[in-house]
Amino acid sequence: AALTVSDVSHAALDAAGEEAATLWEAAEHLDGSMMQPGHAYVLDFNQNSWVSTWKINASGASALAIFTQYHPTEFTATDVPHLKLANGAEVEILEAETASTESTDRWGSVILGSFITCLPTLIGILAIIPKLEQVKAFVDAYQGIISSFCSGVLLSAATLFVLPEALLTIGTDRDEVEQAWMWGAGVM
């Protein structure tokens, strides 16, 4: 949601934030037209390009408060500003803050959820206890296969979770040698 504000004081931004919260209930998909202050929009990213752009009508506004679900820098490349004027100049951000998260004690829910998550493992351990000798013989007989399976799980986890993060960290602003050793370290 983009809202015009008279000044960038905490009081003015808090009031605009409350207005933005009510606007989110009627958010509409932006159909390629220019965003107008006083409305909330759902922005669809361009899947065929590395960058998505949207225009905001800020004419006549001395200050504009923009409220987003995610911090804008989460989706920007390191050398691309996330807000620019029509002439290409970067917009000065006077104040940026993340949403306040009020602490609610949910320890009961956390402990119950953890217990429910661990319950199948506990039941499995209790079911194995009477047949401990048979389980030991099985593990001794198939130790190599079990170890191979565990290694495969670890390698697949590294491939699916660590390597995409490594690619993100490497970025495109480094030279070829630096990218090569970082990629190699990510693979290992």
Side-chain angles (χ1 to χ4, degrees), residues 145-170:
I145 295 172
I146 293 171
S147 296
S148 297
F149 177 76
C150 293
S151 297
V153 169
L154 289 173
L155 284 173
S156 64
T159 303
L160 293 174
F161 299 118
V162 175
L163 289 182
E165 288 296 323
L167 283 173
L168 180 67
T169 303
I170 289 172

Side-chain angles (χ1 to χ4, degrees), residues 15-90:
E18 290 176 13
E19 184 180 348
T22 59
L23 288 173
W24 279 117
E25 296 172 7
E28 55 198 68
H29 280 271
L30 190 62
D31 58 1
S33 60
M34 189 176 293
M35 282 193 267
Q36 301 297 326
H39 297 277
Y41 298 98
V42 176
L43 303 177
D44 296 314
F45 287 90
N46 183 350
Q47 300 299 315
N48 299 318
S49 175
W50 70 276
V51 65
S52 296
T53 58
W54 300 277
K55 294 182 179 181
I56 303 173
N57 182 4
S59 58
S62 60
L64 196 62
I66 300 174
F67 298 90
T68 61
Q69 184 177 5
Y70 299 99
H71 198 279
T73 57
E74 185 173 340
F75 298 106
T76 58
T78 54
D79 58 344
V80 178
H82 52 276
L83 289 173
K84 293 192 318 184
L85 296 174
N87 65 6
E90 190 171 345

Side-chain angles (χ1 to χ4, degrees), residues 97-103:
E97 66 179 51
T98 57
S100 63
T101 55
E102 295 179 19
S103 174

